[in-house]
Amino acid sequence: MPTLDLTVEQVIMLVQQLPLEGKKAVFKVLQKELMNQENPWLKLAGKYQDDPQFD
């Protein structure tokens, strides 16, 4: 896929010009991409649950 040299402002302007269904499609793709990123806080969840010295 070719990379375009666009600014964030230009991308926002282009998305604003889309019909509602197009905006929803862009939102779904972005939401899926953001959800797939690792959350560093979730890596620590439960790390010390079996440690008797950690209260």
Side-chain angles (χ1 to χ4, degrees):
M1 179 181 292
T3 302
L4 300 176
D5 191 26
L6 296 173
T7 65
V8 173
E9 291 80 15
Q10 290 171 321
V11 172
I12 291 171
M13 275 189 357
L14 290 171
V15 170
Q16 287 175 335
Q17 294 174 17
L18 292 172
L20 183 58
E21 289 304 314
K23 290 176 185 175
K24 287 180 181 179
V26 170
F27 178 75
K28 285 181 183 179
V29 170
L30 293 175
Q31 187 177 32
K32 183 178 178 182
E33 186 174 318
L34 290 172
M35 295 300 288
N36 287 338
Q37 292 182 350
E38 280 191 26
N39 185 336
W41 291 106
L42 292 179
K43 288 183 181 179
L44 297 175
K47 182 176 180 178
Y48 298 107
Q49 71 183 10
D50 296 327
D51 188 346
Q53 295 180 1
F54 186 79
D55 193 10

